[in-house]
Amino acid sequence: MTRPEFLSGRVLIAGAGVSGRGCAAVLASLGVDLTVADGNAESRSRIASELGVAAVDTAAADLSEYSLVVTSPGWRPDSPLLVAAASQGLEVIGDVELAYRLDRAEVFGAPRRWLAITGTNGKTTTTGMLAAIMAADEQCSGQRAQAVGNIGVSSFDALAAEPRVDILVAELSSFQLHWSSQLRPEVGALLNLADDHLDWHGSFDAYAADKAKILRGQHAVYGKDDEHVVALASSIPAATAFSHAEPAPGEVGVSAGSLVVNEVAGMKAAVVEDVTTIQPAGLAGVLDAAAASAVAALASARPESIAEGLASFVVAGHRGEVVHRHSGVTYIDNSKATNPHAAEVAMRGLDSVVWVAGGQLKGADVSDLLRTHAARLKAAVLVGVDKHVLAQALAKEAPHVPVIIVDSHDPEAAMEQAVAAAVQHAEAGDTVLLAPAAASLDMYTGMSQRGDIFAAAARRLAR
């Protein structure tokens, strides 16, 4: 591999975590002179035998010897080391930006095609759907696709893979996009926007601006149902919209119960005849499928490949997965809905919901969520540290909804009681939905454990 010109000087890598070590390994293989800075002595000691290391304060004290800083995506823009680097005119980039530049410099052979997805919610599902579509299209296109970024493998592993990966289907976070400048995907999609990571970005406008960087490529796809996204996409010529509504020419949407690509990149086809078959169930799954279809059409996938990919897609755990059905009641695990916006999306398209919610709200306001969906709530079962905050909001915004409060703090006992209460209130045609609108660490090791316990309880109790 030939070292590109932009790596001719010494490189400082900020962070000795997984991302930092991955960047260091790639740069070291190119013969780049580098130092890894980290504030944790144990982290530095783990790699000191292989790479040059420095404490953060030491690195910040003498930045003149470096020509570039590569930061781990979790490092905030106001981190003293990064602030000092920027003040001295050093460029700071992230891991995905580094991978993109190496790819464009043909370090790993001819440049790949990049298809990129971001948004506050739904990006993992949409990326998985798109990867399945492009994999289904491989027989026709002859090009191998791989999901990368926050799912699948790292971008560096995909670039170095044998056999060659031709299409990188990348799920990108706002952090990764913040630390990018040259990244220009062939197709980039912005799904939706809501308050998230504002402590990191500093404001909603800054967060939105970083997310919008994904639209700077050859083709842009945006969620027409989100007013914030529409405002950001309004200045982009020929951007392609997706929604849950009837699609105008040049859009993807739902017509007579079918998912339709309507004259996007020359494609006019119903790619899913019945949107109720899309997984995950509900409007959120339909929107994710519409976004993936729009990107795939612009990437020249065939209609048959879109249909096949969406049909074969298996939803990732805890993201709207149907975990049980009994006596006409559907049980859905959307434990990944850790904020009110995600819970709002999870409820869309469901008619009668017994809602299992609660956990750490972290100061988030659920009023809009409840006002929007009060009519579809049949009952609410609340657990976790902020259950009483949710109960007060329900009393104000949806006073007709019966509320059951679970007092147990034991993770399994609390969810067992919650599901038992939900089973008592659910009838044929109802959905028991775990969409907590809150984080899980007050009682659980993470959202995965919360979802697993919910699913197990549903299968055991709903018989």
Side-chain angles (χ1 to χ4, degrees):
M1 294 188 290
T2 303
R3 183 171 61 190
E5 181 63 29
F6 78 93
L7 293 174
S8 58
R10 192 175 186 192
V11 175
L12 177 65
I13 295 177
V18 173
S19 173
R21 294 197 303 272
C23 292
V26 171
L27 294 181
S29 71
L30 294 171
V32 175
D33 184 14
L34 62 89
T35 298
V36 180
D38 196 282
N40 186 290
E42 185 178 342
S43 297
R44 295 196 302 271
S45 67
R46 281 198 294 265
I47 61 172
S49 62
E50 306 168 16
L51 300 163
V53 297
V56 171
D57 292 345
T58 303
D62 188 11
L63 291 167
S64 60
E65 58 185 295
Y66 299 104
S67 62
L68 178 71
V69 177
V70 179
T71 181
S72 298
W75 280 48
R76 291 164 54 127
D78 59 1
S79 299
L81 175 62
L82 304 184
V83 171
S87 69
Q88 295 186 35
L90 279 175
E91 185 179 19
V92 181
I93 66 173
D95 57 340
V96 173
E97 175 75 6
L98 175 62
Y100 182 81
R101 292 190 187 187
L102 292 175
D103 180 47
R104 284 302 177 266
E106 301 190 11
V107 170
F108 302 95
R112 273 66 172 175
R113 301 171 65 193
W114 288 67
L115 310 178
I117 307 291
T118 198
T120 302
N121 294 298
K123 53 187 179 290
T124 297
T125 298
T126 304
T127 303
M129 287 175 167
L130 179 58
I133 291 169
M134 302 313 293
D137 203 57
E138 181 181 347
Q139 187 172 1
C140 177
S141 68
Q143 295 190 318
R144 183 168 171 243
Q146 172 69 58
V148 303
N150 294 328
I151 66 171
V153 303
S154 78
S155 301
F156 300 122
D157 288 342
L159 290 172
E162 292 293 343
R164 172 187 162 96
V165 172
D166 305 287
I167 304 171
L168 274 62
V169 183
E171 177 194 335
L172 301 183
S173 70
S174 58
F175 305 158
Q176 291 167 320
L177 288 164
H178 177 86
W179 299 117
S180 72
S181 57
Q182 296 182 17
L183 176 65
R184 299 289 189 278
E186 178 181 329
V187 189
L190 177 55
L191 307 180
N192 48 57
L193 287 169
D195 288 354
D196 203 14
H197 303 304
L198 301 193
D199 57 340
W200 196 97
H201 292 274
S203 69
F204 177 78
D205 288 343
Y207 168 70
D210 284 334
K211 286 285 195 183
K213 286 183 176 183
I214 207 163
L215 302 176
R216 300 181 302 186
Q218 181 180 349
H219 300 290
V221 171
Y222 69 97
K224 188 179 178 182
D225 297 338
D226 189 306
E227 61 180 357
H228 300 299
V229 173
V230 170
L232 290 169
S234 61
S235 61
I236 300 174
T240 299
F242 70 89
S243 77
H244 69 285
E246 186 81 26
E251 297 181 352
V252 178
V254 178
S255 179
S258 297
L259 182 62
V260 174
V261 179
N262 189 8
E263 298 179 17
V264 176
M267 184 185 299
K268 187 175 178 67
V271 292
V272 178
E273 294 294 339
D274 181 1
V275 296
T276 64
T277 64
I278 292 173
Q279 290 296 323
L283 187 56
V286 172
L287 289 171
D288 293 343
S293 299
V295 175
L298 291 165
S300 302
R302 301 169 304 150
E304 297 85 357
S305 299
I306 297 176
E308 181 182 340
L310 292 176
S312 66
F313 173 73
V314 177
V315 66
H318 319 300
R319 290 173 168 84
E321 181 182 10
V322 175
V323 295
H324 188 53
R325 286 190 174 96
H326 182 71
S327 298
V329 178
T330 300
Y331 295 78
I332 294 178
D333 168 15
N334 209 317
S335 185
K336 183 65 171 62
T338 56
N339 57 59
H341 181 265
E344 192 275 327
V345 172
M347 286 188 192
R348 292 182 195 172
L350 301 178
D351 294 326
S352 181
V353 175
V354 178
W355 185 33
V356 180
Q360 297 166 299
L361 286 171
K362 298 179 294 185
D365 186 358
V366 296
S367 299
D368 286 346
L369 162 67
L370 296 177
R371 279 194 291 268
T372 301
H373 294 296
R376 71 183 72 230
L377 291 179
K378 184 174 185 180
V381 186
L382 308 179
V383 300
V385 66
D386 286 330
K387 54 183 174 287
H388 294 295
V389 177
L390 276 168
Q392 291 170 7
L394 280 158
K396 179 180 178 181
E397 305 295 346
H400 68 283
V401 176
V403 174
I404 302 92
I405 294 178
V406 175
D407 289 324
S408 175
H409 297 286
D410 178 82
E412 293 202 14
M415 189 60 73
E416 186 99 1
Q417 293 172 33
V419 172
V423 169
Q424 292 300 312
H425 282 80
E427 300 175 309
D430 293 343
T431 299
V432 174
L433 173 67
L434 174 66
S440 58
L441 297 180
D442 57 327
M443 294 201 310
Y444 300 95
T445 59
M447 64 90 183
S448 295
Q449 187 198 33
R450 178 170 63 183
D452 288 342
I453 294 175
F454 168 81
R459 295 177 186 122
R460 184 169 58 253
L461 296 172
R463 295 181 177 178

